[in-house]
Amino acid sequence: MDFTFISGQLFTGLSVASILLLAALGLALSFGLMRVINMAHGEFLMVGGYLTYLAAQWAGPTLGDAWLWAAFPLAFLGAALLGAVMEFTVIRRLYGRPLDTLLATFGISLILQQAARQLFGSTGVPVTAPAWLGGAWQLGDVTLPFVRLFVIVLAAVVLAGMWWLLNRSRFGMHVRAVNQNREMAAALGVNTRSLDMLVFALGAGIAGVAGVGLALIAPVNPTVGAAYIVNAFLVVVVGGVGSVLGGAVAAVLLGFVTALAEGFTSVSLAQAILLVLVVAFLQWKPRGLIPTKSRALEEA
């Protein structure tokens, strides 16, 4: 195994980590704020991917390569609206019952997967990336496809936006207050019910944006979200529940480990190695890399 191979695997791992990070951001917010184990979160990614496919089919003939810029708001708003509806109709009635939310959202994920099969078929639908993403940057002997570089930049932009939103805005101040002490925040006038819905919808929308990036590098099929949900949960746990920065670091680490393990072994064995390493890490740091302070988590 030479340097070129390892560099290529690390770059692939970084692009995979970018998708994982976007998928995990919403999980980190919803579990850290509401303690909701959302097994249907991967389906928001699937919805974003299918909406990207529809944007390419509908807007592509009219807008040309600019259809991609129409896909981002479509995927974000579509997934966010689905998340808001799910929170209002199902999740809101199950707060404080994590096992019930796990079972309910698992059932919702199966329903959404079957709905996707009925609408789009069981095979993956390909999305052709715009022509300006079709090339590659040659760095020595290492080839860096533009489309994967775009996904990495997309994740960095979303992460920066989330950091600003959570640390420099009034909305973020309310989120941090409710995360630390829900009862006190409510007593001071924060509408925690509305905030829960907004945060859940925001996390779903970000997963929808992740679906745009995923659709550019792989076909979208009804089970694509299920393929990412386990690793997304691992990112949340390793990074520290509710920690955006910890999730970013964990996504990069897990992406690198997975890519290198797959390069030297097989996909199934690489996943087993990853799980063993995560379990060993949690024995050392059970609260993750960068744990957040939350009364709800401390009492759990």
Side-chain angles (χ1 to χ4, degrees), residues 101-114:
T101 59
L102 187 151
L103 292 174
T105 55
F106 180 70
I108 292 173
S109 73
L110 296 180
I111 293 172
L112 292 176
Q113 288 178 27
Q114 188 58 39

Side-chain angles (χ1 to χ4, degrees), residues 12-28 41 45 151 155 206-207 210-211 213-214 217 224-236 244 247-259 262 271 274:
T12 301
L14 186 59
S15 63
V16 171
S18 300
I19 301 294
L20 282 178
L21 172 61
L22 293 176
L25 281 176
L27 286 175
H41 191 76
L45 188 149
V151 171
I206 294 173
L214 180 62
I217 60 179
V224 66
Y228 278 85
I229 188 65
V230 173
N231 283 353
F233 271 114
L234 293 180
V235 168
V236 173
V244 174
V249 176
V252 173
L253 291 177
L254 266 62
F256 283 165
V257 170
T258 301
E262 288 180 358
Q271 189 67 24
L274 179 65

Side-chain angles (χ1 to χ4, degrees), residues 36-56:
V36 170
I37 304 174
N38 181 16
M39 295 300 294
H41 191 76
E43 276 54 56
F44 296 139
L45 188 149
M46 176 197 71
V47 168
Y50 278 121
L51 289 176
T52 303
Y53 169 74
L54 293 178

Side-chain angles (χ1 to χ4, degrees), residues 14 17-19 21-22 25 149-164 248:
L14 186 59
S18 300
I19 301 294
L21 172 61
L22 293 176
L25 281 176
L149 287 171
F150 180 79
V151 171
I152 293 170
V153 172
L154 172 65
V157 170
V158 173
L159 180 63
M162 283 296 300
W163 181 88
W164 180 89

